Amino acid sequence: IRKIVSSFENIHLRFYNVEKIIKGWKPYLRGHVTILTYFRFIAPYILNDFDKAVYLDGDTIVLSDIGKLYETELGDNYLGAVKDAAAAGIYSDGRNTTVVNSFNNILKLTHPENYFQAGVLLVNLKKFREDFTLDELMKICEKGPWYFVDQDVLNYLCQNKVYFIDMSWNVESYASLEIPLKFAPDE
């Protein structure tokens, strides 16, 4: 990775050992999810010299200049994110009562159709630091039960403080989700 990055002037690679921060932390886990997925909540406090950052899941393929996403103005919002059409469809379909209950009673979403994906995010690090301490975020992550785990935590925290970016920034394969997608909102 260092060799690849060294050929670009505008890319810098840093490693940070989070061991001290996460010692004793027990965020809510479910299924295949490990504590690693929660590391995005630590970012505002590690990258404290930065006001904004792009977060990408490890399985993301970028086919465009990511700087264009970074240049997006977030205003007073916590995040720039893409709506999750599949999750909205599952909710609207209503047959998965666990998701319906989660959206209504745990996340308390006033607009379930605005549930967003967490694989590609433009994060307002400064706003997170202003409104939440690291300890507060860690305690919320421990709370659960979060159906879509860390993504639920972000939707819970950032509700009504999200700038929705174009869906082309987070395209997923929905081949197995034909039925939920037919119930998804048009936008």
Side-chain angles (χ1 to χ4, degrees), residues 14-33:
R14 297 175 189 93
F15 294 94
Y16 189 89
N17 185 345
V18 298
E19 219 169 273
K20 288 180 184 175
I21 294 174
I22 66 166
K23 188 174 183 171
W25 187 29
K26 300 205 182 315
Y28 178 81
L29 302 175
R30 180 168 114 59
H32 68 283
V33 177

Side-chain angles (χ1 to χ4, degrees), residues 21 25 27 38 41-42 45 78 127-144 146 153 156-157:
I21 294 174
W25 187 29
Y38 284 97
F41 291 96
I42 299 169
Y45 310 95
Y78 291 117
K127 182 74 174 150
F128 265 93
R129 286 190 297 267
E130 287 172 356
D131 292 354
F132 303 103
T133 66
L134 176 58
D135 190 52
E136 287 172 319
L137 288 178
M138 292 173 87
K139 280 183 172 53
I140 291 168
C141 292
E142 291 174 348
K143 190 168 89 168
W146 306 112
V153 175
Y156 173 77
L157 289 170

Side-chain angles (χ1 to χ4, degrees), residues 13-97:
L13 182 64
R14 297 175 189 93
F15 294 94
Y16 189 89
N17 185 345
V18 298
E19 219 169 273
K20 288 180 184 175
I21 294 174
I22 66 166
K23 188 174 183 171
W25 187 29
K26 300 205 182 315
Y28 178 81
L29 302 175
R30 180 168 114 59
H32 68 283
V33 177
T34 69
I35 194 170
L36 298 174
T37 196
Y38 284 97
F39 284 6
R40 70 187 85 203
F41 291 96
I42 299 169
Y45 310 95
I46 293 172
L47 303 172
N48 51 16
D49 292 336
F50 298 91
D51 291 340
K52 186 166 57 168
V54 173
Y55 169 86
L56 303 173
D57 271 353
D59 61 353
T60 303
I61 298 171
V62 179
L63 299 174
S64 182
D65 179 359
I66 200 74
K68 292 177 184 173
L69 175 60
Y70 183 82
E71 292 169 2
T72 303
E73 285 299 322
L74 291 174
D76 202 30
N77 293 300
Y78 291 117
L79 300 170
V82 171
K83 290 183 183 183
D84 190 332
I90 292 167
Y91 174 84
S92 297
D93 174 43
R95 288 182 281 178
N96 187 327
T97 56

Side-chain angles (χ1 to χ4, degrees), residues 82-137:
V82 171
K83 290 183 183 183
D84 190 332
I90 292 167
Y91 174 84
S92 297
D93 174 43
R95 288 182 281 178
N96 187 327
T97 56
T98 305
V99 170
V100 172
N101 179 60
S102 176
F103 280 27
N104 291 341
N105 301 315
I106 296 170
L107 304 180
K108 300 182 184 334
L109 299 178
T110 54
H111 298 284
E113 69 278 7
N114 288 340
Y115 187 89
F116 58 86
Q117 299 171 351
V120 175
L121 299 169
L122 180 58
V123 184
N124 188 339
L125 302 170
K126 181 179 178 188
K127 182 74 174 150
F128 265 93
R129 286 190 297 267
E130 287 172 356
D131 292 354
F132 303 103
T133 66
L134 176 58
D135 190 52
E136 287 172 319
L137 288 178

